[in-house]
Amino acid sequence: MKTLNDVKIGETTKIARLLGEGAVKRRIMDMGLTKGTEVTVRKVAPLGDPIEITVRGYELSIRKDEASKIEVA
Amino acid sequence: MSNIKIALAGNPNSGKTTLFNDLTGSDQYVGNWPGVTVEKKDGLLKGDKNVVVQDLPGIYSLSPYSLEEKVSRRFLVEENPDAILNIVDGTNIERNLYLSTQLAELGLPMVMAVNMMDVVKKNGDKIDFEKIAKALRCEVVGISALKGEGGIEAAKKAVEMAKRSVVERGPGKLPDVPHVFSGTVEHAIAHIEESIQGKVPERSIRWYAIKIFERDREIIKKLEIGVGEMKHIEEHIRDCEKELDDDAESIITNQRYEFIQGLMSKALTKSEIRKNKATLSDRIDRIVTNRILALPIFILSLCVMWWLAVADGGPGTILTDWANDGFLGDGWHLPFTTHEVDGKDYETASEEFAKAEATVKAWEAGEKKASVEDEETGEISEEWDIDEAAYNAAKEVEEPDPSQFGVWVPGIGALIGAALEKMGVSETVASLVNDGAWGGVATVLGFVPVIFVVFLFLAFLEDCGYMARVAFIMDRLFRKFGLSGKSFIPMIVGKGCGVPAVMAARTIENERDHRMTVILATFIPCGAKTVIIAMFAALFFREMWYVAPLMDVIGIAIIVMGGIALKKSKAFAGEAAPFVMELPAYHMPTITGIWRHTWIRLKGYILKAGLIIFPACVLLWFIMNFDFHFNLVGEDGIDKSMLATMGGWIAWLLAPLGFGTWQGAAASVSAEIAKEQATATLGLVAANMDGASTAAHVTNLFASFVPACVPDASKGSVAKLIAMSFMVFNLFIPPCMVAIAVTFREMGSKAWGWLAVGFQLFVGYTLAMSIYQLGMLAMGCGFGVWTAIAIIVDLFCLWAVFRPGRRAEG
């Protein structure tokens, strides 16, 4: 399954499923990354991690660790 | 009705702080929530002193995972505020409403203030307040906090609602709360509500029921729901989970967002023209976090701050010099009024006078050479031969009168001195007032300019939105040693002063990263420690140019290795915190906003420092000038003072470091009041040593520390080794008292505070001990018990850094 990490910069995709549990998963969902939400990957930080995405009309930064727990269509 | 409590709640970056400042003006109190380091602010509403506005931490949700969320939840359900004022960012309304749906379920009267309406309008978007109000069962008003529009009205509306709800709500009448979930979920929630009736405050029953549905451990524990009952509830939850093929927490979150999306499709009309156009913020961001440009821009911004605060010739330094020597000291010339007299400016004339004074003094003492010392290092900066002619000429030189060189404003120190002289008080009293009391106040105030500049710059970085990008850029690097991207700023600030560094760590939301940053930030040698380095570099390590920069390198090494070791320790173990961070849109901060931000922090520093340093300086003056029979001993008799006696008591503790004497102990103890005090105290305690200058006194003092068993040939090197040990000890043990006090406050509890100070003491002591013991070993001065201990402790440190980490940290 493709995760948010595999999405190229500039591409828009839809969230299929969230892996993991507990605080990290809840935090990701609280920030609006829920099933079916459209996400655009904007850029990667200069040192290669974290990444910047656009979700629900605002900019969010998440680490690649967390992005790998977000499966996309 | 008196004392209405309004809780101000909203997302981070929604303009909450600005609104809070607008609502309360200067009537606010900043502190910590009990036991934790999350900022707690409350204030009285402008124009209605019966209303207390309580600023809750900025949060995205009422989930039980982050400290801010827990604090806010507890306040909302336990402290019973009379109404909620929910601030919502109108330009980012979808995610902001997620919190609003949860707040509304609490059943408290709520007013939603949709902020940044000016931007929304400028963008051409339209928000239908009525539809939102109807859906979330609250009142909705538009405001613009930055412009100060609508905030007070929104708060007044909340007060009105609070008053009305008391009158209207009879017993058994439940508040109208929104229902945002699908049929199955609502069904389960209804069942849970039934089973917890009577256990929870009636009006918030729905909120509790939803939390139980989410299997919120904190709430389930608090309500003491029985095993049997929970089993029954659990059945309902499982049914839902099966039907919707997801876990309960996800179901709730998903459906909340679905509800909001549905609401937004009706209530928000986005301007067609703007939909696909990059905003100014996007364009700025494209440059600032560009893969190639990001780091140079970041370093440049640090250099700017560095220059502003502590660089030679920068505004911070100029202000500091003015504050210390001018405003608080002897006095200063009004700018643009100075002129030369006899072809010399005031400084040249003063220098000539100082030299003449030295000539007169030396000749009368029967010397053939005169010299002047550098103020900071005690080193001889100039030496010249004298004869009778020079003496006679020097006697004629008059002290220059500063008022002849321009408009002279006397400094407070000079004014106090003059006033004391006029009153004809004794020398002791004059010394107490001038050196003890005023010296203490002046030490605190002397640091204000640097701290002010640093705070001002930080407030700007935070308010414009760049701080989040700093974390974005630096995160990868700092995560490696257990810190976060935001830890970098405090460490840079720490080069100037440890106190604002520790305070700047506040911007780190994650509690663990915050605490680690507080513990480690003060290892960077601050401005005051630089004075110690300057003195030792000049006196002992003249041919070793690398010693001064080496101290910065050691500081950085301690941070890296200390971070790694702490991360692996029990105190900081546990699940890694998620780094999911909003990157707020850039915007131009307002001057009043930045000013308030800066002033609140600066006020905190002045109060804290004043309360600690002032009495400490008076005490230090007292124990330096008196012996235990309360006889005045004077400067020449410092070896009989209480300071000397007390130094003797703890001297043995420092013996393994090579300077276990009362002088070494006294200098180290007094350095805890303010680090640069170490050099001044060393000068005083060494005054009885041989030599013509303070520099010679101090050099001879360290030579006298060398153990007798050392052969004459290596005595010089061992003295240097002891000097190095002393310097390193004073640089890397806990910082000055003010920084320690701030550390205690920021760590949140006494236990954490002691842990921080204990760690710092361990690091400083171990470093100094290793330098002295292993240095002695390398010079062939024998292997003793302490050599063995030093090696064991060093091995322990290496193990703490390089042992495999716990799995949980990932």
Side-chain angles (χ1 to χ4, degrees):
Chain A
M1 193 76 192
K2 214 172 141 189
T3 71
L4 196 54
N5 260 343
D6 308 316
V7 180
K8 285 197 193 79
I9 293 171
E11 267 180 25
T12 302
T13 180
K14 252 187 186 173
I15 295 175
R17 202 158 70 102
L18 293 171
L19 307 173
E21 55 183 9
V24 179
K25 183 180 178 187
R26 174 63 184 256
R27 175 80 164 168
I28 291 172
M29 291 192 301
D30 280 345
M31 297 307 283
L33 293 161
T34 56
K35 219 190 277 183
T37 314
E38 266 191 11
V39 181
T40 310
V41 175
R42 296 287 298 273
K43 64 165 80 87
V44 180
L47 299 173
D49 196 15
I51 61 172
E52 182 182 332
I53 59 176
T54 303
V55 57
R56 297 188 190 273
Y58 77 99
E59 313 299 316
L60 187 69
S61 140
I62 65 172
R63 284 183 185 156
K64 287 192 162 170
D65 266 0
E66 276 107 44
S68 70
K69 289 180 185 133
I70 301 171
E71 289 188 347
V72 294
Chain B
M1 184 168 153
S2 66
N3 266 333
I4 293 178
K5 242 191 306 187
I6 306 256
L8 180 59
N11 283 186
N13 309 308
S14 58
K16 204 162 57 63
T17 309
T18 314
L19 177 61
F20 179 71
N21 288 336
D22 273 352
L23 293 181
T24 60
S26 53
D27 262 334
Q28 40 180 280
Y29 175 76
V30 186
N32 275 346
W33 292 87
V36 293
T37 53
V38 178
E39 202 158 272
K40 177 190 169 108
K41 282 196 281 189
D42 45 37
L44 300 177
L45 181 65
K46 256 189 221 165
D48 191 346
K49 299 291 169 208
N50 288 327
V51 179
V52 179
V53 183
Q54 170 79 63
D55 188 22
L56 297 181
I59 46 170
Y60 295 106
S61 169
L62 290 178
S63 73
Y65 296 114
S66 84
L67 207 60
E68 286 80 3
E69 288 167 347
K70 275 188 209 166
V71 165
S72 302
R73 267 162 57 131
R74 252 174 246 155
F75 180 83
L76 288 169
V77 300
E78 280 167 22
E79 301 279 313
N80 285 316
D82 298 290
I84 299 173
L85 180 56
N86 172 216
I87 180 163
V88 160
D89 177 359
T91 62
N92 184 6
I93 194 159
E94 204 169 307
R95 198 211 54 227
N96 272 256
L97 284 185
Y98 176 73
L99 176 68
S100 308
T101 61
Q102 300 181 53
L103 292 172
E105 281 154 4
L106 286 161
L108 297 165
M110 182 163 109
V111 173
M112 183 190 294
V114 181
N115 192 16
M116 311 201 197
M117 280 315 290
D118 51 327
V119 184
V120 173
K121 274 184 199 139
K122 213 172 93 195
N123 290 345
D125 299 343
K126 279 199 186 77
I127 301 173
D128 188 335
F129 292 160
E130 252 173 60
K131 282 193 179 122
I132 298 175
K134 227 172 130 196
L136 291 180
R137 314 287 203 274
C138 63
E139 297 225 17
V140 182
V141 292
I143 67 163
S144 176
L146 265 183
K147 296 192 169 165
E149 284 165 14
I152 294 277
E153 288 76 10
K156 290 217 168 110
K157 202 161 241 177
V159 174
E160 224 173 84
M161 277 182 89
K163 285 181 181 162
R164 220 185 319 143
S165 85
V166 174
V167 180
E168 278 176 9
R169 175 108 34 88
K173 190 165 174 268
L174 286 179
D176 192 13
V177 293
H179 288 218
V180 306
F181 306 110
S182 67
T184 350
V185 181
E186 288 290 350
H187 180 79
I189 290 172
H191 270 286
I192 300 173
E193 277 182 12
E194 224 168 83
S195 58
I196 58 170
Q197 222 153 43
K199 277 189 179 168
V200 296
E202 218 175 17
R203 60 181 178 187
S204 304
I205 191 164
R206 187 175 165 82
W207 186 82
Y208 278 102
I210 296 167
K211 287 292 143 195
I212 291 170
F213 184 85
E214 289 177 322
R215 298 198 184 88
D216 187 308
R217 258 177 280 164
E218 209 185 76
I219 298 294
I220 291 173
K221 210 174 125 199
K222 193 184 139 201
L223 296 184
E224 292 170 345
I225 298 171
V227 183
E229 225 168 332
M230 197 59 219
K231 217 170 157 188
H232 179 70
I233 292 173
E234 194 54 43
E235 263 171 43
H236 285 289
I237 303 175
R238 284 227 187 92
D239 283 347
C240 277
E241 288 181 325
K242 217 191 239 163
E243 193 183 317
L244 297 166
D245 186 31
D246 216 340
D247 63 285
E249 239 181 336
S250 305
I251 292 172
I252 295 290
T253 315
N254 287 344
Q255 295 200 357
R256 268 191 215 286
Y257 267 114
E258 273 163 31
F259 172 81
I260 295 165
Q261 259 171 301
L263 175 60
M264 280 302 103
S265 65
K266 283 177 262 160
L268 174 68
T269 336
K270 281 231 169 202
S271 149
E272 281 302 319
I273 322 154
R274 221 180 52 84
K275 252 182 186 166
N276 296 314
K277 221 175 109 191
T279 61
L280 179 66
S281 174
D282 291 337
R283 272 176 279 165
I284 295 173
D285 202 51
R286 225 173 274 162
I287 300 166
V288 168
T289 58
N290 178 286
R291 270 204 106 146
I292 298 153
L293 291 176
L295 285 173
I297 289 177
F298 175 58
I299 290 165
L300 188 76
S301 69
L302 288 180
C303 292
V304 169
M305 181 173 89
W306 183 241
W307 181 80
L308 284 174
V310 287
D312 272 340
T317 316
I318 293 172
L319 274 172
T320 305
D321 289 346
W322 169 78
N324 281 324
D325 301 336
F327 183 66
L328 304 166
D330 294 334
W332 47 290
H333 281 115
L334 272 187
F336 310 118
T337 63
T338 48
H339 49 80
E340 292 179 352
V341 175
D342 301 335
K344 285 173 265 182
D345 61 7
Y346 178 60
E347 261 177 41
T348 329
S350 309
E351 262 168 44
E352 271 177 20
F353 175 69
K355 276 176 77 172
E357 233 185 349
T359 309
V360 172
K361 211 175 144 199
W363 183 259
E364 282 173 358
E367 314 250 354
K368 291 274 174 280
K369 270 175 192 240
S371 61
V372 284
E373 287 175 18
D374 183 277
E375 226 175 88
E376 272 182 10
T377 61
E379 221 188 343
I380 292 178
S381 55
E382 220 181 323
E383 199 177 35
W384 62 95
D385 295 323
I386 47 173
D387 50 28
E388 186 147 13
Y391 168 67
N392 286 331
K395 255 170 66 174
E396 297 301 309
V397 179
E398 273 177 42
E399 184 169 4
D401 178 2
S403 60
Q404 289 183 347
F405 293 82
V407 179
W408 179 254
V409 184
I412 298 175
L415 287 177
I416 292 176
L420 290 169
E421 206 170 299
K422 222 175 222 171
M423 286 192 285
V425 296
S426 73
E427 225 172 86
T428 319
V429 176
S431 159
L432 169 66
V433 174
N434 232 341
D435 303 338
W438 173 246
V441 178
T443 308
V444 176
L445 296 181
F447 274 107
V448 166
V450 175
I451 291 181
F452 171 73
V453 171
V454 168
F455 281 164
L456 198 68
F457 192 74
L458 281 182
F460 178 79
L461 284 191
E462 273 172 47
D463 288 5
C464 76
Y466 186 59
M467 204 62 116
R469 270 76 185 184
V470 169
F472 179 70
I473 296 167
M474 297 305 290
D475 180 65
R476 173 118 200 217
L477 186 65
F478 274 76
R479 195 168 10 131
K480 287 223 159 61
F481 30 96
L483 301 168
S484 94
K486 287 192 178 176
S487 310
F488 197 66
I489 295 285
M491 297 186 175
I492 290 301
V493 173
K495 191 82 192 83
C497 175
V499 177
V502 170
M503 286 161 86
R506 269 269 161 100
T507 53
I508 302 167
E509 291 92 6
N510 180 267
E511 187 65 11
R512 194 168 46 157
D513 294 353
H514 173 223
R515 286 201 170 114
M516 294 244 295
T517 309
V518 168
I519 295 177
L520 296 172
T522 51
F523 280 117
I524 296 282
C526 68
K529 289 174 179 171
T530 313
V531 176
I532 303 182
I533 300 176
M535 182 191 203
F536 278 80
L539 295 190
F540 296 98
F541 312 114
R542 184 164 285 285
E543 69 283 13
M544 294 154 77
W545 59 268
Y546 48 84
V547 164
L550 183 69
M551 294 303 122
D552 287 332
V553 174
I554 293 179
I556 293 166
I558 294 175
I559 288 170
V560 171
M561 307 218 304
I564 295 172
L566 284 175
K567 193 175 84 168
K568 290 174 183 168
S569 73
K570 232 186 219 159
F572 289 95
E575 203 186 343
F579 183 79
V580 183
M581 182 185 65
E582 181 183 2
L583 297 169
Y586 292 92
H587 66 99
M588 200 58 207
T590 59
I591 291 169
T592 42
I594 291 187
W595 169 249
R596 270 199 189 126
H597 219 133
T598 311
W599 171 238
I600 286 174
R601 284 184 186 166
L602 193 65
K603 200 168 73 180
Y605 165 78
I606 295 172
L607 288 177
K608 193 103 209 165
L611 287 175
I612 297 164
I613 285 200
F614 176 66
C617 280
V618 173
L619 186 73
L620 181 71
W621 174 87
F622 185 70
I623 62 174
M624 261 183 167
N625 284 280
F626 284 87
D627 64 13
F628 273 102
H629 305 290
F630 299 108
N631 296 320
L632 187 68
V633 293
E635 276 195 8
D636 298 329
I638 193 163
D639 53 335
K640 293 182 204 75
S641 68
M642 276 190 253
L643 181 68
T645 317
M646 293 198 280
W649 293 341
I650 57 166
W652 60 275
L653 281 170
L654 304 174
L657 316 183
F659 50 95
T661 60
W662 71 265
Q663 292 101 326
S668 303
V669 167
S670 64
E672 282 302 302
I673 290 170
K675 282 288 165 182
E676 77 276 18
Q677 182 72 39
T679 61
T681 309
L682 271 182
L684 288 176
V685 297
N688 294 339
M689 293 282 153
D690 288 343
S693 65
T694 311
H697 293 160
V698 174
T699 322
N700 286 330
L701 176 70
F702 277 88
S704 76
F705 292 167
V706 176
C709 59
V710 174
D712 282 350
S714 0
K715 276 208 157 74
S717 323
V718 173
K720 275 187 186 175
L721 189 67
I722 295 170
M724 175 66 92
S725 163
F726 178 86
M727 172 171 76
V728 165
F729 181 73
N730 276 292
L731 294 185
F732 299 113
I733 55 166
C736 64
M737 286 169 69
V738 182
I740 292 179
V742 179
T743 300
F744 262 84
R745 194 186 62 192
E746 294 299 313
M747 292 301 278
S749 73
K750 281 221 166 81
W752 279 105
W754 283 114
L755 183 115
V757 171
F759 178 80
Q760 290 161 347
L761 196 59
F762 173 80
V763 169
Y765 194 90
T766 306
L767 261 177
M769 179 170 70
S770 307
I771 287 175
Y772 179 64
Q773 296 295 344
L774 302 183
M776 289 291 271
L777 185 67
M779 281 186 225
C781 296
F783 189 98
V785 180
W786 284 103
T787 324
I789 292 175
I791 291 172
I792 292 168
V793 174
D794 287 344
L795 288 176
F796 167 76
C797 293
L798 288 177
W799 171 79
V801 174
F802 293 107
R803 70 179 159 147
R806 284 155 200 266
R807 252 200 83 240
E809 271 131 17

